[in-house]
Amino acid sequence: MIDKNLLENVVGEWLADTDYFLVDLSVSADNNIVVVIDHQEGVWIEDCAALSRHIESRLNRDEEDYGLEVGSAGLGQPFKVKRQWEIHVGCPVETQLKDGTRLRGTLTAVGDETFDMEVETRVKPEGAKRAHKEMKTVTINFGDVAYTRYMIKMK
């Protein structure tokens, strides 16, 4: 089986010269390699091809056969690494907490252990007949998150 640490080093070589970052890397028992990268401004197919060629130049198919897939973190897919939260500050996101609570709002800040979202809430002041909407900032611990993903808005 192809060594995952070796692959991480090979991918890291290529990433060092770019603004891309690694989201996920997996190697199955039958040597199918999947590399997922991301970039603040999106991922270009030419760069996926260049990374694929770089990986192939460092591995020897005569020693060990493998399948290779290099792709981008898709829109609407859950974030996997902190940098994905960081590049989406100011964007609409959906977060589901491990307790089942679902929040939709704007990602406003990312810290070491938490991130902030501005969400719309309904508030009914004492004595008022109707509730009204207010924006509220919610701080969420990364450890409490089941998933967060970019929310595509249709107009």
Side-chain angles (χ1 to χ4, degrees), residues 37-137:
I37 58 174
D38 206 350
H39 186 282
Q40 184 161 349
E41 297 169 6
V43 176
W44 299 97
I45 188 121
E46 294 85 2
D47 291 324
C48 290
L51 176 54
S52 180
R53 285 190 299 275
H54 178 78
I55 294 168
E56 289 173 344
S57 74
R58 301 298 195 276
L59 300 178
N60 185 344
R61 284 191 190 269
D62 293 335
E63 290 178 11
E64 203 159 12
D65 196 26
Y66 59 89
L68 177 60
E69 178 184 333
V70 176
S72 66
L75 273 179
Q77 295 297 311
F79 299 165
K80 292 186 177 184
V81 296
K82 183 178 168 190
R83 186 138 177 227
Q84 289 180 293
W85 274 269
E86 293 169 347
I87 67 173
H88 286 92
V89 168
C91 296
V93 296
E94 175 183 74
T95 294
Q96 183 164 329
L97 303 178
K98 291 178 181 174
D99 69 6
T101 304
R102 185 173 291 164
L103 302 168
R104 289 183 176 160
T106 302
L107 182 60
T108 56
V110 179
D112 290 335
E113 302 293 326
T114 63
F115 63 96
D116 294 342
M117 285 178 63
E118 189 172 78
V119 298
E120 187 176 87
T121 60
R122 296 183 59 78
V123 176
K124 184 177 178 190
E126 189 174 323
K129 290 183 179 183
R130 295 179 186 227
H132 65 277
K133 296 177 184 177
E134 284 185 7
M135 297 308 286
K136 176 182 171 185
T137 299

Side-chain angles (χ1 to χ4, degrees), residues 135-155:
M135 297 308 286
K136 176 182 171 185
T137 299
V138 178
T139 299
I140 302 166
N141 289 312
F142 285 110
D144 295 336
V145 174
Y147 70 81
T148 299
R149 62 180 172 208
Y150 176 76
M151 196 168 60
I152 302 169
K153 288 191 173 188
M154 302 291 185
K155 291 187 177 190

